[in-house]
Amino acid sequence: MAELTDLVTARNLVRSHIRSCGTERQNLIHALGRIIAETVIGEDDAPPFDKALVDGYALQANDINSKRESRFSVVETVYAGQPPHFPVAAGQASLIMTGAPVPLGADAIVMREHTQADADTVHVELDHVAVGQNIMKRGAAHAVGRAIVEAGQLIRPVEVGVLAESGRTEVKVYTQPTVMLLQTGDEVVETGAKLKPGQIRNSNGPMLSALVSQAGGKPVSSCLVGDNVEDLKRSVHEGLQQDLLLISGGVSVGDKDFVPQVLSSLGVNQVFHKVNFRPGKPLWFGTHERCQVFGLPGNPISGLVSFLLFVAPAIATLVGHRCAWESWEQTATASLEEPFQLKGERPAFWPGVRSIDGRTVRALPWKGSADPYTLVKANCLISFPIGNCQYTVDEDVTVIALR
């Protein structure tokens, strides 16, 4: 029997073969969720002028603080989008609206709620006003020449907003890898099919497609193939034209597990086959020119866990995530609420429920890798790194968030 590859070694081997897919220009509105591939430098101050932060009266703070004035003559009203027409001198004020440019001479704004106004004057009911009160100075949020967004950042709605404010309508982002999904097995039928004896519906295809999209990849096709070598060859050959090929099933030691044989016949270079963890031991990985090939176990949760540990960080690397292998899995430490006996020699990833405060975690009763229904109740996977081990109450374990 071939020796199993250590989990850390296997992950490092995948990591060493993964490279970015390049870059492309993308309309800003459609760049949400992508990784920006350029550092954007601000060409304007933000705000581009001294800006009112409240509705109120722009005046000179010293008039109030020196007790010289409490009633001011109002010289004009300044609205957002409109430049002031008059400067503010001692004893004067301008009624100003939120977002409007502050007139010259004014160095503070008193909120309207602290004043009483008549036709052309206003009385201020405060004894002290700080210089700069309720004013955002030009360039206070961002100055010309500074980076607005740096290469490698995830574009969230807030990045879309600041890039739009800086005048950008498109940005350079890392290209999404194209991914073909191939589900194997004579027993697998389309999701909407009525089952005949011995058949199961294709759950892996939709699940893996969702996982690919969540990780930042672009599923381009998905197909079912029976356990037939020639049919597999045709489908695999098509899949090798993409950036990633994910094959579900056919990688273990059954009489009809033809995937490793087919991959070898098509010139795919095997990097490893079978990894020391569960669920997911039969995992296969190899390369063919620009295509990275993952042979995932056919059991649903074996495929899910293999994807989270290997494929998701690989895709994250391809789309430009910084430190993808360190940060993609949202890991944390929690204490076991109950004792747990791990049977079997291999390290395991077990479905669990982490408490709301994140301090504790409970392993769920689970029927194994063919049982996806328990995972619906789980919000994390618990890492049990040592097989045939009794884990005790309050023992710290690593957990991986299920998103």
Side-chain angles (χ1 to χ4, degrees):
M1 181 179 294
E3 184 177 348
L4 301 182
T5 304
D6 174 75
L7 178 62
V8 173
T9 300
R11 280 167 56 89
N12 285 337
L13 285 169
V14 174
R15 182 176 185 173
S16 69
H17 285 84
I18 300 297
R19 299 291 182 271
S20 166
C21 288
T23 62
E24 62 185 3
R25 304 298 298 182
Q26 184 63 266
N27 181 284
L28 181 59
I29 299 300
H30 299 131
L32 181 66
R34 304 286 289 275
I35 303 297
I36 193 165
E38 62 177 330
T39 296
V40 178
I41 304 298
E43 298 178 1
D44 302 291
D45 287 325
F49 47 78
D50 292 354
K51 181 171 76 171
L53 297 177
V54 297
D55 295 339
Y57 289 87
L59 44 72
Q60 295 184 4
N62 190 54
D63 282 347
I64 302 293
N65 300 337
S66 66
K67 315 300 183 188
R68 187 167 62 228
E69 296 286 353
S70 64
R71 182 166 291 277
F72 298 80
S73 61
V74 179
V75 298
E76 67 172 329
T77 300
V78 185
Y79 295 97
Q82 168 191 310
H85 295 99
F86 304 102
V88 170
Q92 295 180 332
S94 290
L95 176 59
I96 192 167
M97 304 303 163
T98 303
V102 177
L104 291 174
D107 59 10
I109 298 174
V110 177
M111 293 177 68
R112 221 168 179 173
E113 293 87 334
H114 301 308
T115 65
Q116 290 186 7
D118 55 27
D120 55 5
T121 65
V122 62
H123 172 67
V124 176
E125 299 172 332
L126 300 176
D127 295 328
H128 178 80
V129 176
V131 172
Q133 180 172 308
N134 297 320
I135 295 174
M136 177 177 274
K137 299 294 287 183
R138 175 175 178 167
H142 190 87
V144 170
R146 290 174 53 198
I148 297 172
V149 178
E150 295 189 358
Q153 282 187 238
L154 175 68
I155 300 178
R156 304 167 298 172
V158 66
E159 278 78 19
V160 172
V162 297
L163 287 165
E165 184 174 340
S166 74
R168 285 299 189 103
T169 58
E170 64 174 28
V171 289
K172 184 165 70 172
V173 296
Y174 288 98
T175 303
Q176 291 177 287
T178 57
V179 185
M180 180 172 176
L181 306 169
L182 183 59
Q183 293 78 52
T184 69
D186 290 336
E187 75 280 16
V188 184
V189 297
E190 295 291 352
T191 304
K194 189 173 181 64
L195 294 179
K196 296 178 181 179
Q199 293 182 334
I200 59 172
R201 294 189 183 94
N202 175 23
S203 61
N204 285 344
M207 178 183 72
L208 291 171
S209 180
L211 286 165
V212 167
S213 296
Q214 183 184 60
K218 185 178 181 180
V220 293
S221 62
S222 179
C223 66
L224 293 176
V225 183
D227 294 318
N228 176 282
V229 171
E230 294 307 314
D231 290 343
L232 273 171
K233 279 186 178 181
R234 282 191 291 270
S235 295
V236 169
H237 181 267
E238 178 185 346
L240 292 175
Q241 312 311 307
Q242 308 303 327
D243 296 310
L244 264 72
L245 171 59
L246 303 185
I247 305 172
S248 176
V251 292
S252 193
V253 292
D255 290 346
K256 292 188 176 183
D257 287 334
F258 300 131
V259 169
Q261 168 191 332
V262 167
L263 291 170
S264 177
S265 71
L266 291 174
V268 181
N269 175 50
Q270 176 181 310
V271 177
F272 63 76
H273 184 198
K274 299 182 182 177
V275 181
N276 187 34
F277 78 108
R278 64 182 171 114
K281 171 186 170 184
L283 179 67
W284 192 101
F285 173 69
T287 64
H288 182 269
E289 298 177 357
R290 72 182 179 97
C291 185
Q292 316 299 316
V293 182
F294 290 89
L296 305 176
N299 277 329
I301 304 310
S302 295
L304 171 68
V305 174
S306 297
F307 187 98
L308 294 177
L309 293 178
F310 290 87
V311 186
I315 292 176
T317 300
L318 290 169
V319 300
H321 273 282
R322 295 171 173 170
C323 305
W325 290 84
E326 290 78 15
S327 63
W328 175 254
E329 302 114 354
Q330 295 181 359
T331 59
T333 300
S335 300
L336 286 174
E337 295 178 7
E338 302 169 348
F340 182 82
Q341 174 69 48
L342 180 62
K343 299 178 181 179
E345 297 180 353
R346 281 176 283 141
F349 294 86
W350 200 275
V353 175
R354 191 180 178 199
S355 61
I356 294 175
D357 63 12
R359 296 179 181 177
T360 62
V361 67
R362 171 174 54 89
L364 292 172
W366 185 41
K367 299 176 181 63
S369 60
D371 168 25
Y373 295 94
T374 298
L375 270 289
V376 175
K377 304 172 185 176
N379 61 13
C380 67
L381 293 172
I382 306 171
S383 172
F384 293 112
I386 302 173
N388 289 323
C389 181
Q390 176 70 44
Y391 293 83
T392 60
V393 173
D394 293 333
E395 185 168 348
D396 285 344
V397 291
T398 298
V399 297
I400 301 174
L402 290 174
R403 295 182 285 176

